Amino acid sequence: MPSRYYSGTFALNDMHLSLPTARGRPPLALGLSRPVPYGPEAVRSVILLNVGPKVFVDMTAEVPVATYEERSEPDPDRMAGVDLGIIHPYAVATEGVALVVSGRAIRAEHRLHLAEKKARSRALATRAPKRGQAGSRRWRKYRAKTKRLEGRHRCRVAQATHEAARAVVDFAVQERIGTLVVGDPRGLLARDPGKRQNLAARNWRPGKMIAALADKAALAGIDVELVDERGTSSTCPRCGAKVSNPKGRTFHCGTCTLEARRISMEKHRRKRVDLWPAVARPGTIGESLGRVASAA
């Protein structure tokens, strides 16, 4: 069971951590595997927990917001729309420029991990102990290895998610964006589209993606606001007209003759700032998506 220790009850010195134990007993001395990136005065709490045979220390620290030079800080009036997806975890669009972060490596990790898991299960199906049997040493080693592989898979996916969120925040800082308007797709998770799509939605984890983006944006002094995605796929971002049953990846508006691809992120931004009546410059959406930066 994890144990939490608050500031003032533990001692942190370089790569050594001392945790209190029972009254009258010496403290528990732990050696850390790597230096702490924060000063001892910034650490507010530590959590001692174990994952399998390993012991981890989870630290919570107070980190100051990034500082900028004059006229290089994020502008609160500049907004960018962010669309979350399975193939592309983050797609960002603002005036005249856009960023699409590729998530094919994450999907490949999920697919290969599932195939490996199925192969291990098939190989051990006939040798697994029956219900009520204690199991052999070989079976316990197999279970331990399975836990290690599952933990490694989770770490890889989490690392890729944080790297993708970092790419979005760096893009926002470069473009001096002060507010990221994120479409919240978590309402789709309550549906049951079938086995295959349920697996893709479970591996998607949009809540983790929003949390990672919000944490890194807060450190950079950028606000993150969530908006409802309902109706954005059938509404024109230029004139606000409703388009019935848009098909394919190309959006076509019969009212203002707008044709564009992947404009959900632009619609999130316009939905937040209430610019539906305003007519955008001709070609704004196409120009912004024509200059796409792709990050692996």
Side-chain angles (χ1 to χ4, degrees):
M1 180 177 180
S3 301
R4 182 187 292 269
Y5 303 88
Y6 292 96
S7 178
T9 61
F10 60 88
L12 179 61
N13 184 13
D14 195 13
M15 296 181 62
H16 299 279
L17 177 65
S18 297
L19 300 177
T21 56
R23 181 177 299 178
R25 305 297 297 176
L28 175 63
L30 299 175
L32 305 179
S33 60
R34 58 181 178 178
V36 181
Y38 319 107
E41 67 282 351
V43 180
R44 292 293 177 258
S45 67
V46 297
I47 300 177
L48 185 66
L49 68 160
N50 70 297
V51 179
K54 297 183 180 181
V55 178
F56 292 87
V57 177
D58 185 7
M59 295 189 178
T60 302
E62 182 179 2
V63 182
V65 178
T67 57
Y68 302 92
E69 297 180 358
E70 187 178 359
R71 295 185 179 181
S72 63
E73 70 280 358
D75 186 2
D77 295 332
R78 288 182 59 85
M79 295 187 179
V82 181
D83 186 43
L84 305 181
I86 296 179
I87 298 179
H88 303 296
Y90 300 100
V92 192
T94 184
E95 292 292 341
V97 64
L99 170 74
V100 175
V101 181
S102 175
R104 296 188 182 276
I106 303 179
R107 298 180 67 206
E109 169 65 24
H110 284 302
R111 184 175 64 253
L112 295 177
H113 176 71
L114 180 61
E116 182 186 18
K117 183 177 179 180
K118 289 181 177 180
R120 292 198 314 270
S121 300
R122 286 194 299 266
L124 269 296
T126 57
R127 292 180 289 173
K130 306 301 180 184
R131 180 171 297 183
Q133 294 180 351
S136 62
R137 180 182 300 177
R138 178 182 295 181
W139 176 252
R140 289 194 294 269
K141 288 184 178 180
Y142 166 76
R143 294 291 300 274
K145 183 179 180 180
T146 300
K147 289 182 179 180
R148 289 196 301 269
L149 293 178
E150 292 289 342
R152 185 183 66 181
H153 169 68
R154 289 193 296 267
C155 289
R156 286 178 174 177
V157 174
Q159 179 67 21
T161 301
H162 283 285
E163 290 180 1
R166 169 54 56 191
V168 173
V169 173
D170 291 343
F171 171 79
V173 172
Q174 179 182 355
E175 298 296 330
R176 296 189 60 195
I177 296 171
T179 303
L180 293 175
V181 184
V182 184
D184 191 356
R186 285 176 288 187
L188 298 174
L189 302 182
R191 299 183 179 181
D192 186 12
K195 236 193 267 189
R196 187 179 183 87
Q197 294 301 324
N198 284 340
L199 177 62
R202 182 179 66 85
N203 294 334
W204 185 19
R205 305 194 308 173
K208 297 285 186 180
M209 297 169 57
I210 294 175
L213 181 62
D215 289 343
K216 289 170 175 53
L219 294 179
I222 301 175
D223 296 331
V224 174
E225 297 185 11
L226 300 179
V227 297
D228 188 12
E229 285 192 340
R230 185 175 183 83
T232 56
S233 298
S234 58
T235 305
C236 178
R238 176 184 292 179
C239 63
K242 290 291 184 179
V243 179
S244 60
N245 299 326
K247 297 180 180 180
R249 294 184 176 271
T250 301
F251 183 91
H252 176 75
C253 178
T255 303
C256 63
T257 67
L258 171 68
E259 289 190 7
R261 290 168 60 88
R262 298 185 181 277
I263 57 176
S264 297
M265 44 196 173
E266 181 70 13
K267 289 184 284 185
H268 294 331
R269 185 178 68 86
R270 295 191 179 279
K271 184 175 183 180
R272 165 60 181 81
V273 298
D274 198 17
L275 289 181
W276 296 113
V279 177
R281 299 194 308 272
T284 298
I285 306 299
E287 292 172 2
S288 67
L289 296 181
R291 185 181 150 199
V292 172
S294 179

